Amino acid sequence: MIGFIKKIGGLVGGFFSSPTVLLVLALAGTLLVQHLRIGGLEGDLRAAKSDQALLQANRDAWVQSAENLAMLLVVQVEERQRAQDAANALAELLQKDDDTVYTPLRQAIHAAPESDDGPVAPVLARAIGALP
């Protein structure tokens, strides 16, 4: 190895003939290359940290959006349940009205003698016919 360095030193001549100087130059070159690589890696690290911050901000926005949608879904499910309960209560009330009001009235109409029948105005006949 030293013979090789002396050969290179002989080719370059003068100042560069010393193996120590050549070794120092090789070390300096290696350090320069490493410094440039470290600078590139530091730049990559800064870019990655910037990307990470952006991704975290986007993630936080999506999480907030998902939480808002989940709350809206809960509200809509509750509203649907209240609407279903109200519809069931109304159906039950209408059934009670049918049982207590309309069924006896229909039975009385059907049981009435024919002598109770008479002419009815067409508008009144349509209104009566439309009753549940």
Side-chain angles (χ1 to χ4, degrees), residues 68-78:
N68 291 342
L69 290 173
M71 287 190 312
L72 283 174
L73 180 61
V74 167
V75 168
Q76 289 179 347
V77 166
E78 289 172 353

Side-chain angles (χ1 to χ4, degrees), residues 16-30:
F16 297 109
S17 63
S18 166
T20 307
V21 172
L22 289 176
L23 187 60
V24 168
L25 287 175
L27 184 60
T30 303

Side-chain angles (χ1 to χ4, degrees), residues 2-113:
I2 295 202
F4 175 74
I5 293 174
K6 283 184 181 179
K7 229 182 203 181
I8 291 177
L11 290 174
V12 175
F15 179 74
F16 297 109
S17 63
S18 166
T20 307
V21 172
L22 289 176
L23 187 60
V24 168
L25 287 175
L27 184 60
T30 303
L31 289 175
L32 177 64
V33 168
Q34 290 301 321
H35 177 73
L36 293 174
R37 286 184 63 209
I38 289 172
L41 291 173
E42 286 173 342
D44 291 347
L45 180 61
R46 281 190 300 275
K49 284 182 179 180
S50 175
D51 290 347
Q52 178 189 16
L54 179 62
L55 290 171
Q56 285 175 340
N58 286 342
R59 179 208 56 208
D60 293 345
W62 281 105
V63 165
Q64 184 63 43
S65 177
E67 288 172 353
N68 291 342
L69 290 173
M71 287 190 312
L72 283 174
L73 180 61
V74 167
V75 168
Q76 289 179 347
V77 166
E78 289 172 353
E79 286 177 358
R80 183 181 184 280
Q81 185 60 46
R82 283 194 300 273
Q84 185 66 44
D85 292 345
N88 290 343
L90 181 59
E92 186 178 313
L93 180 63
L94 290 175
Q95 184 62 43
K96 283 181 186 176
D97 284 349
D98 191 52
D99 292 344
T100 60
V101 175
Y102 296 114
T103 300
L105 186 57
R106 278 191 216 103
Q107 289 171 349
I109 291 170
H110 288 295

